[in-house]
Each structure stands twice: as C-alpha cells, then as structure tokens.
Amino acid sequence: MNKSDENDARGLAELVRIGWCREVAVKSAASQQVRSLLVARSRLVAVRCDLENQVRSMLKEYGLIFPRSVAG
C-alpha cells in the first residue's frame, strides 16, 4: 500500500472503529501552564547545579575547596 495522508487517515479510522485505540483526556490550560513552569524551574535548577560544580572544580585546581551546597 502506498504511504499517503489519505491511507494514514483510513488506517487510523479503522483502528478507532474496531476499538483498538482509547480516548485520551486533554489537560486544562492551567494544568499545562503549571507543568511548563515546573519544567522550566527544573531546568534552571539543573543549570545552576552544573555551573556551581564547574566553578567548584576550577577553583579546586588552585587549592580552594568549597562545600557542596553553595546555595545554603
């Protein structure tokens, strides 16, 4: 069978018709916004941790040793 949008749509319609696919709930806009903020915060925390570790390792070469938690 040739690959085309029409054939893809027909195949998807057949899957829905026989009940092989189930319904998916769509999250609310507020839920999506909270999720995106949490993901952004998580990435920023990871970047901060990476930068702290890089600075700590560079200073360690000169004999300066700092504790693990700079933010505390």
Side-chain angles (χ1 to χ4, degrees):
M1 181 175 2
N2 288 337
K3 181 87 169 133
S4 68
D5 289 341
E6 183 180 343
N7 290 336
D8 289 345
R10 187 175 290 119
L12 290 173
E14 182 68 18
L15 290 175
V16 170
R17 186 185 68 78
I18 62 174
W20 198 71
C21 296
R22 60 184 175 169
E23 200 171 313
V24 176
V26 177
K27 292 185 168 76
S28 67
S31 175
Q32 291 178 12
Q33 184 180 17
V34 168
R35 174 77 174 147
S36 67
L37 288 174
L38 289 172
V39 168
R41 181 187 183 280
S42 175
R43 289 181 183 163
L44 287 171
V45 169
V47 167
R48 183 192 69 194
C49 183
D50 289 343
L51 286 173
E52 286 177 359
N53 290 336
Q54 287 177 0
V55 169
R56 190 177 294 111
S57 69
M58 288 179 1
L59 293 175
K60 190 175 180 181
E61 292 177 7
Y62 296 101
L64 299 171
I65 299 176
F66 286 95
R68 280 196 163 269
S69 178
V70 174

